[in-house]
């Protein structure tokens, strides 16, 4: 079945460090891929998405490229801020009615 | 439009009691989803509606759980005879399918604690 595997956390970085959170997927067909962010006590917010191979999603300095050949959608940011501290979820939607999420990666950015 | 809203944000109940949660989707969205999220995990799909029709239910949705969307707008999720294992965050999401593309937008969630 469809599934998402993402890098286990927690991840702790200093402010202005480079961030990578790995995400790989297994799916039939051509899924859409997403990164969601969850701040403490809140629901999920869409961070970025990509709907076909080689698409790059970007938002708020975060980027992720849909790599069909490696079935990956790694999240990157060149310079993290304390305000980026949150839990990040990679997700896929392959048939538009059953979104599958990874287990989440907790990021803590220290000043 | 203020996005997806959920009520209440927090609920504490005693084992065996019934609870009901409400979700108001983004107004033009015809699809509505319910998910459950336990600590340290990603959301798990429970059920979804297209307009007022409930089209799919997960095996996670036991017979103690029921969801409705009577007029194709807001939805309710009821849990009867709650158990401690029901303690979780219950998330609602809505979307509007455009061709084969769809993006789900989530509400803030209802955190349930069963004592």
């Amino acid at each position: 079945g469809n599934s998402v595997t993402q890098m286990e956390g927690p991840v702790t970085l200093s402010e202005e460090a480079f961030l990578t959170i790995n995400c790989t997927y297994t799916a039939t067909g051509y899924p859409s891929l997403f990164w969601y962010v969850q701040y403490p006590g809140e629901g999920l917010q869409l961070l970025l998405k990509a709907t076909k191979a080689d698409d790059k999603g970007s938002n708020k300095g975060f980027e992720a490229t849909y790599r069909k050949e490696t079935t990956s959608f790694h999240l990157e940011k060149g310079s993290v801020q304390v305000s980026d501290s949150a839990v990040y979820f990679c997700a896929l939607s392959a048939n538009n009615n059953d979104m599958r999420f990874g287990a989440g990666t907790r990021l803590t950015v220290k000043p | 439009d203020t996005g997806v809203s959920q009520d209440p944000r927090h609920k504490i109940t005693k084992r065996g009691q019934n609870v009901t949660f409400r979700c108001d989707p983004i107004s033009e969205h015809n699809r509505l989803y319910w998910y459950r999220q336990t600590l340290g995990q990603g959301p798990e799909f429970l059920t979804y509606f297209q307009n007022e029709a409930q089209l799919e239910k997960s095996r996670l949705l036991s017979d103690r759980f029921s969801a409705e969307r009577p007029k194709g707008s807001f939805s309710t999720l009821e849990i009867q005879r709650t158990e401690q294992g029901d303690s979780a965050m219950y998330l609602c999401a809505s979307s509007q399918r455009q061709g084969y593309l769809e993006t789900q937008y989530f509400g803030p969630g209802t955190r349930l604690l069963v004592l």
Side-chain angles (χ1 to χ4, degrees):
Chain A
N2 299 333
S3 66
V4 173
T5 302
Q6 65 180 100
M7 184 171 107
E8 289 188 15
V11 174
T12 302
L13 296 173
S14 297
E15 207 165 21
E16 299 184 2
F18 184 85
L19 169 71
T20 300
I21 301 178
N22 290 340
C23 172
T24 57
Y25 68 89
T26 301
T28 54
Y30 303 96
S32 295
L33 300 174
F34 305 84
W35 276 100
Y36 283 86
V37 58
Q38 186 173 36
Y39 297 101
E42 299 185 9
L44 276 69
Q45 298 177 22
L46 178 66
L47 182 59
L48 53 84
K49 67 179 181 181
T51 57
K52 61 182 186 297
D54 300 324
D55 267 3
K56 177 185 281 188
S58 61
N59 185 27
K60 299 181 181 179
F62 291 89
E63 294 183 340
T65 301
Y66 189 139
R67 301 284 188 201
K68 190 170 184 292
E69 63 277 13
T70 54
T71 61
S72 65
F73 192 55
H74 304 323
L75 182 68
E76 296 181 337
K77 186 174 185 182
S79 176
V80 293
Q81 305 301 312
V82 172
S83 58
D84 294 327
S85 297
V87 181
Y88 292 81
F89 292 94
C90 184
L92 72 81
S93 177
N95 59 9
N96 294 333
N97 58 14
D98 185 0
M99 183 169 282
R100 298 297 175 95
F101 288 84
T105 302
R106 180 175 299 278
L107 170 66
T108 301
V109 180
K110 295 187 174 180
Chain B
D1 189 355
T2 57
V4 179
S5 62
Q6 293 186 244
D7 183 71
R9 294 290 306 275
H10 304 273
K11 179 70 176 178
I12 300 174
T13 190
K14 293 182 179 179
R15 188 176 52 189
Q17 297 295 303
N18 299 342
V19 294
T20 299
F21 309 141
R22 176 179 170 127
C23 171
D24 286 90
I26 293 171
S27 57
E28 64 268 26
H29 285 182
N30 62 353
R31 289 189 168 197
L32 186 149
Y33 299 77
W34 286 100
Y35 292 84
R36 183 176 70 185
Q37 185 182 19
T38 53
L39 200 62
Q41 298 297 317
E44 295 173 294
F45 170 78
L46 292 179
T47 187
Y48 97 99
F49 294 82
Q50 181 153 316
N51 300 312
E52 66 276 9
Q54 188 174 16
L55 296 186
E56 189 169 339
K57 293 191 286 187
S58 162
R59 60 181 169 75
L60 294 175
L61 209 68
S62 76
D63 57 5
R64 297 185 296 105
F65 288 68
S66 61
E68 294 182 343
R69 194 183 184 197
K71 298 182 180 179
S73 57
F74 74 91
S75 176
T76 58
L77 177 70
E78 181 183 16
I79 309 174
Q80 295 181 325
R81 305 181 304 280
T82 53
E83 301 173 356
Q84 288 183 325
D86 297 331
S87 296
M89 173 83 90
Y90 290 85
L91 295 167
C92 175
S94 71
S95 70
Q96 178 73 20
R97 184 173 176 176
Q98 296 175 324
Y100 65 90
L101 299 177
E102 180 182 9
T103 299
Q104 295 184 22
Y105 294 89
F106 283 79
T110 295
R111 186 172 294 282
L112 172 66
L113 177 61
V114 181
L115 301 176

